[in-house]
Amino acid sequence: MLQGAKDKMSGPLASGTCSDLEEASDLKAPLSSRFREPLTHARFQELFGGAEQEPELPAEPCLPWLCRLRRRRASACSGPGAWRVLLARLPPLRWLPQYRWRAWLLGDAVAGITVGVVHVPQGMAFALLTSVPPVFGLYTSFFPVLIYSLLGTGRHLSTGTFAVLSLMTGSVVERVVPEPLAGNLSGIEREKLEAQRIGAAAAVAFGSGALMLGMFVLQLGVLSTFLSEPVVKALTSGAALHVLVSQLPSLLGLSLPRQIGCFSLFKTLAAVLSALNQSSPAELTISALSLALLVPVKELNVRFRDRLPTPIPGEVVMVLLATVLCFTSSLDSRYNVQVVGLLPGGFPQPLLPTLDDLPRILADSLPISLVTFAVSTSLASIYADKYSYTIDPNQELLAHGVSNLISSLFSCFPNSATLATTSLLVDAGGNTQLSGLFSCTVVLSVLLWLGPFFYYLPKAVLACINISSMRQMFFQMQELPQLWHVSRVDFAVWMVTWVAVVTLNVDLGLAVGVVVSMVTVVCRTQRVKCLALGLAEGTELYRPIRESHKLLQVPGLCILSYPAPLYFATRGQFHRVLEWHLGLGERTKVRILPIRVVILDFSGVTFADAAGAREVVQLTRRCQDDGICLLLAQCNDLVLKTLTRAGLLDSMTPEQLFVSVQDAAAHALERLKPTGPKICTVWV
């Protein structure tokens, strides 16, 4: 086969080139140039065929994405098409027939029950962050988990209440339904205030779910790439500090209004310090004992993860001990310790959230939906890579969108995947989404039968559970030295995002982090250097000219490589760099001999927009006016199509477009040969 290809290339294509190159033996030209003539882009497509073109469809009087949607729906109307859609939208239809009942069922059951036991105290604790009664945290630990088990593609993902989202939602709830300044509310007024806050939290969940469903319809799963890893980790670490400070009043037994807006963390610290003398000794003692138990247990679970059959349920033990202690000692009546109170049994009636405040809440729902999608998708991707399966980002949008939208009808607040329970699920032996059903069974038993047992649970214990659950997020700061060593730019993005989250707010900090991350990408493309290439002696490789490299150069020939996208933000730099190298501007590179042929290696130009394409066209015209022959090499089809539409072929011919730098250089030697230049070896 190789011999046949060589014979094909060494036929008429090679006539008249072999002897010429043998005369220039000092160049030590690559072997490939001795068997064939330089291949242009058009000649390569003629010999080997170009990229497959999509068949042109008749024009339709509608927008392109609407046309694609219409064709997709038309194809889905058939029987096989409908089955494919059903398989894509209901993942259990794919993994349930392949479920290994003997190998996986026990692990899913144990992991699901373990996570469900943890969901109970964490759900009630995170409900306090959301400024709603604790029972609504149990609702949010049931409905979203059930829905995600049916629609999600992350087999090891655990969904439910998440501290960061609870904190963000609580800020919105406190702003929309603030605490009356007068205080000392009656029972009826307190119930009315709680009902309004429950409605506001459910409206936030409804808005974020609707936004994620809209993103799913538009197939915007790719948006997860805009939230880089430094931004997500800095966001969660900064939010963990907000959670810690917001729980200080509950730890100390202080009744302080919740601070919202910019600098809320510092306002809360100032309020706590000013009211420190009013703290309750009983609740302070309960908090100290709870943390003294929870923190060591979590450390033991991490250090002996491989030796323990299941992690030690420190939260459950702490809840039981504190409840029994408060009940037997009557701490609520004797020392005025705040307790959870009566948890209503059963489920709330389905109710559409009040949409009067939806226009105001919708702006706050956007960052919540982005954080939900980013955290859940990144967490699902980590375990999908670890256990060799794939997730569908767009299906994840559908799963979390439907989960938030439907659960909002049952007075739930926003939910997402959680770091702590996902890690717990994997450590306990979970294998598939079936473990979520076992978690729902545990939460369901609490809602139906075991709720009255939590009446005397001190709220200070829930605050301690909130703080101890932030352990992983705080320890993310240990990665900063390694991040500094790997990438200073990512380290700067991490620090700027963290400072913005801590000083401003979680929402504004997320916006600052995304903007800074995008700016760094633009800055990196603008700082790319245009490299001059030379032929490495004895090879066919063209490498950047650097120190201690023995490279071959031809007087009058300049080979340049531009390894960056060519768009509106880089066109100015491209213009200045090319002028300097080619001697077209005022500040030019000092050369002994004028340049006659220029080769631009576009292998690193991944895309070009209209502004960048016009810049290349203008460059070709200036080179043509100055008597310089410009050759383009390794231009991908997308870039070449954009350049052609911008009028590139009006100032140059298809014979000036080559498939490789080697072919362009061989053609350049043919152009320079009549002048008789001598090939010189240059040490740079």
Side-chain angles (χ1 to χ4, degrees):
M1 184 182 296
L2 292 176
Q3 184 63 36
K6 184 180 295 185
D7 293 340
K8 181 179 180 181
M9 294 303 302
S10 59
L13 289 177
S15 60
T17 60
C18 184
S19 58
D20 295 337
L21 291 176
E22 286 176 352
E23 294 177 1
S25 58
D26 293 338
L27 181 61
K28 299 182 180 181
L31 294 177
S32 60
S33 62
R34 300 178 183 176
F35 293 98
R36 62 173 175 81
E37 66 181 4
L39 279 177
T40 63
H41 187 81
R43 182 61 173 159
F44 182 86
Q45 289 186 334
E46 180 183 347
L47 290 172
F48 303 102
E52 295 184 359
Q53 301 291 331
E54 295 183 358
E56 294 187 2
L57 298 174
E60 299 184 34
C62 59
L63 296 176
W65 68 273
L66 286 177
C67 299
R68 289 195 299 269
L69 183 61
R70 180 182 301 173
R71 290 194 295 270
R72 188 178 303 170
R73 287 181 176 177
S75 63
C77 290
S78 61
W83 178 246
R84 285 195 300 269
V85 171
L86 197 61
L87 286 176
R89 298 299 166 245
L90 288 176
L93 295 179
R94 298 197 304 268
W95 58 263
L96 197 56
Q98 303 174 359
Y99 190 84
R100 294 154 55 182
W101 294 94
R102 292 184 179 180
W104 290 351
L105 183 59
L106 181 60
D108 281 340
V110 173
I113 293 174
T114 304
V115 172
V117 169
V118 175
H119 269 316
V120 174
Q122 280 196 356
M124 292 189 292
F126 293 160
L128 298 182
L129 284 177
T130 318
S131 299
V132 296
V135 69
F136 293 92
L138 297 180
Y139 300 151
T140 311
S141 299
F142 177 80
F143 291 103
V145 178
L146 180 63
I147 296 171
Y148 185 84
S149 299
L150 301 176
L151 297 177
T153 59
R155 296 182 183 178
H156 298 83
L157 206 65
S158 174
T159 59
T161 56
F162 185 37
V164 176
L165 291 184
S166 298
L167 182 69
M168 297 172 69
T169 307
S171 299
V172 180
V173 171
E174 293 281 349
R175 191 188 73 246
V176 175
V177 188
E179 184 86 19
L181 298 178
N184 297 325
L185 300 178
S186 63
I188 298 178
E189 292 174 338
R190 175 62 61 182
E191 290 180 0
K192 183 178 179 180
L193 178 67
E194 289 182 352
Q196 291 177 345
R197 290 187 168 182
I198 293 166
V204 174
F206 184 90
S208 60
L211 287 174
M212 283 187 281
L213 285 180
M215 293 165 63
F216 164 74
V217 172
L218 298 176
Q219 298 291 287
L220 296 181
V222 70
L223 288 179
S224 61
T225 58
F226 289 97
L227 292 176
S228 62
E229 183 178 346
V231 171
V232 174
K233 289 189 174 181
L235 174 72
T236 53
S237 297
L241 189 59
H242 275 279
V243 172
L244 172 62
V245 174
S246 67
Q247 295 304 292
L248 288 179
S250 297
L251 291 178
L252 301 174
L254 299 174
S255 298
L256 299 175
R258 185 167 178 172
Q259 303 293 334
I260 59 175
C262 297
F263 311 108
S264 59
L265 185 144
F266 305 103
K267 295 176 183 177
T268 303
L269 279 177
V272 169
L273 291 176
S274 61
L276 197 58
N277 56 349
Q278 303 174 11
S279 58
S280 171
E283 292 189 292
L284 184 58
T285 303
I286 293 174
S287 302
L289 293 176
S290 300
L291 291 175
L293 174 66
L294 291 173
V295 174
V297 167
K298 287 189 174 292
E299 190 66 27
L300 288 175
N301 286 335
V302 172
R303 293 196 176 187
F304 300 98
R305 178 181 302 174
D306 299 331
R307 301 181 184 179
L308 294 172
T310 58
I312 303 173
E315 292 91 345
V316 178
V317 174
M318 190 65 249
V319 166
L320 294 177
L321 290 178
T323 303
V324 171
L325 178 63
C326 185
F327 173 73
T328 56
S329 303
S330 302
L331 297 180
D332 57 330
S333 58
R334 295 174 59 185
Y335 299 101
N336 199 24
V337 172
Q338 299 182 16
V339 295
V340 169
L342 180 63
L343 295 179
F347 297 102
Q349 293 293 329
L351 180 65
L352 187 67
T354 304
L355 303 182
D356 297 338
D357 296 325
L358 192 59
R360 287 193 300 166
I361 290 176
L362 205 58
D364 300 292
S365 300
L366 179 60
I368 290 176
S369 59
L370 290 178
V371 171
T372 300
F373 179 54
V375 172
S376 302
T377 305
S378 59
L379 201 58
S381 300
I382 291 174
Y383 289 100
D385 294 340
K386 183 177 180 180
Y387 292 97
S388 302
Y389 63 91
T390 58
I391 66 166
D392 183 0
N394 289 309
Q395 180 66 19
E396 290 295 298
L397 275 174
L398 175 65
H400 291 288
V402 173
S403 174
N404 279 275
L405 196 65
I406 294 181
S407 61
S408 68
L409 304 179
F410 296 91
S411 303
C412 297
F413 50 85
N415 62 89
S416 74
T418 61
L419 305 176
T421 55
T422 298
S423 177
L424 181 62
L425 179 71
V426 175
D427 294 340
N431 299 289
T432 64
Q433 295 94 319
L434 193 62
S435 59
L437 300 182
F438 290 98
S439 299
C440 292
T441 304
V442 176
V443 179
L444 180 63
S445 63
V446 174
L447 288 171
L448 295 181
W449 303 294
L450 303 179
F453 290 96
F454 296 97
Y455 183 94
Y456 291 98
L457 175 62
K459 290 186 177 181
V461 175
L462 298 180
C464 294
I465 293 175
N466 278 331
I467 293 174
S468 62
S469 64
M470 298 293 103
R471 177 186 178 279
Q472 287 180 308
M473 299 183 190
F474 283 126
F475 282 3
Q476 289 180 141
M477 302 186 72
Q478 293 178 345
E479 302 175 6
L480 286 178
Q482 182 183 5
L483 189 62
W484 171 267
H485 178 71
V486 174
S487 174
R488 307 286 175 86
V489 176
D490 288 342
F491 178 86
V493 172
W494 201 104
M495 292 303 300
V496 170
T497 305
W498 187 85
V499 171
V501 170
V502 171
T503 57
L504 299 178
N505 206 350
V506 178
D507 304 349
L508 294 177
L510 173 63
V512 170
V514 172
V515 171
V516 171
S517 182
M518 293 296 101
V519 168
T520 58
V521 173
V522 175
C523 292
R524 289 180 184 182
T525 58
Q526 289 187 326
R527 296 182 61 184
V528 170
K529 296 181 180 179
C530 188
L531 304 175
L533 305 182
L535 180 64
E537 186 177 10
T539 71
E540 59 180 12
L541 301 176
Y542 285 84
R543 307 296 297 170
I545 298 175
R546 301 181 185 276
E547 295 182 1
S548 72
H549 283 193
K550 191 176 183 181
L551 300 174
L552 302 174
Q553 292 183 290
V554 179
L557 173 63
C558 181
I559 305 176
L560 300 175
S561 175
Y562 188 76
L566 189 55
Y567 63 111
F568 66 93
T570 58
R571 61 172 295 188
Q573 182 210 31
F574 178 81
H575 178 85
R576 292 188 298 271
V577 169
L578 268 294
E579 275 192 344
W580 183 80
H581 276 284
L582 304 182
L584 300 177
E586 298 179 358
R587 299 179 59 185
T588 61
K589 187 175 182 179
V590 178
R591 292 183 176 273
I592 300 176
L593 295 176
I595 295 176
R596 298 185 55 206
V597 180
V598 177
I599 300 174
L600 289 184
D601 177 14
F602 268 24
S603 60
V605 181
T606 54
F607 71 91
D609 66 353
R614 285 195 297 268
E615 192 63 43
V616 176
V617 172
Q618 293 175 4
L619 175 66
T620 58
R621 292 171 181 169
R622 294 189 62 183
C623 289
Q624 189 177 28
D625 295 340
D626 287 15
I628 299 175
C629 178
L630 178 64
L631 308 177
L632 294 184
Q634 289 185 252
C635 210
N636 68 54
D637 292 337
L638 180 61
V639 175
L640 186 59
K641 184 182 296 184
T642 305
L643 295 177
T644 304
R645 291 174 177 174
L648 179 69
L649 297 182
D650 295 338
S651 53
M652 67 188 310
T653 63
E655 285 72 23
Q656 294 175 259
L657 305 174
F658 291 87
V659 296
S660 69
V661 176
Q662 290 83 355
D663 290 286
H667 177 78
L669 291 177
E670 292 296 324
R671 293 184 61 92
L672 294 173
K673 184 178 177 181
T675 61
K678 294 184 178 181
I679 308 303
C680 57
T681 301
V682 181
W683 288 88
V684 181

